[in-house]
Amino acid sequence: MTAETAPPTVDWTPKARLILEAASELFYERGIHAVGVDSIAEAAGVTKRTLYDRFGSKEQVVVEYLRARNAAWQEFLRSRLDAADPTPGARLAAVFDATRDWSAARGHKGCAMINAHAEISDPDHPAYPIIVGQKHDLRDLLTSIATDAGSPDASALARRLFILHEGALVTAGMGVEPDALDAARDVALEMIGGPQAN
């Protein structure tokens, strides 16, 4: 990444962290476009000048919100995968169970990346690579699991597992089928040969 395309470095002072915390809550609860810098500054107990001094723009606050949320999710998922048995079935179940548990604790409005994509669909937006990158990372993980399960076409199986996962995530997030991720996990395990696939 060149200096011209590298994201600005945020000065992570205590006030910057307060701003990010306030923005994260507001963006997730209300939507990115619905929240202005005035609301973020007020919720963080800082001035708009302080927000701009630390982040440079609302756009960069959005980037940092999504970057931090993705990092927290990746750490949560990694901890679940590390705790699971190393068999493909156990790892696959861990992915669906981690998504279910994360959603129950931190995702009552649905997937933050899917929600953000509904508002930010321009590939030139600096947050766009974070949004779609999380989904590519998940698909890559599922490809690895499908490969370890001995699938003759791991890429095709991973695509189906990914679509199943994302569909269940959206359905659960909308409250249409609260147990969608559990049901999808069971279908996914059947697709790779059962919970003990190895």
Side-chain angles (χ1 to χ4, degrees):
M1 187 174 281
T2 67
E4 291 77 26
T5 59
T9 302
V10 174
D11 181 10
W12 287 111
T13 64
K15 285 188 178 180
R17 296 191 185 283
L18 284 174
I19 291 165
L20 181 60
E21 183 179 327
S24 297
E25 184 174 333
L26 290 169
F27 288 152
Y28 186 70
E29 291 295 326
R30 300 183 192 172
I32 291 168
H33 291 329
V35 175
V37 291
D38 288 324
S39 298
I40 297 168
E42 181 180 353
V46 301
T47 64
K48 283 189 354 183
R49 179 175 179 172
T50 299
L51 184 152
Y52 285 119
D53 284 347
R54 300 306 186 276
F55 292 89
S57 65
K58 176 187 171 182
E59 188 174 77
Q60 191 61 34
V61 179
V62 172
V63 168
E64 298 303 335
Y65 153 62
L66 293 170
R67 182 177 286 144
R69 186 146 181 130
N70 182 52
W73 158 246
Q74 297 294 347
E75 182 179 343
F76 182 80
L77 177 58
R78 188 165 42 252
S79 71
R80 292 303 189 89
L81 289 167
D82 289 346
D85 288 335
T87 62
R91 290 174 62 220
L92 184 60
V95 171
F96 281 83
D97 291 346
T99 303
R100 179 201 60 214
D101 295 346
W102 172 275
S103 297
R106 299 185 58 174
H108 64 281
K109 291 269 188 177
C111 174
M113 297 301 158
I114 292 172
N115 295 348
H117 188 266
E119 299 188 72
I120 302 169
S121 58
D122 179 3
D124 292 330
H125 191 287
Y128 189 84
I130 300 167
I131 296 167
V132 298
Q134 185 189 88
K135 301 307 180 182
H136 286 297
D137 289 344
L138 178 60
R139 193 179 60 198
D140 291 346
L141 172 61
L142 294 172
T143 301
S144 173
I145 292 171
T147 300
D148 292 345
S151 171
D153 190 346
S155 294
L157 176 56
R159 285 194 299 272
R160 293 195 299 272
L161 292 170
F162 176 74
I163 292 166
L164 177 66
H165 178 277
E166 294 301 294
L169 177 59
V170 171
T171 304
M174 293 175 66
V176 176
E177 286 288 345
D179 298 327
L181 285 156
D182 287 336
R185 176 199 60 218
D186 294 344
V187 172
L189 290 172
E190 290 175 8
M191 289 168 67
I192 69 161
Q196 301 305 318
N198 54 31

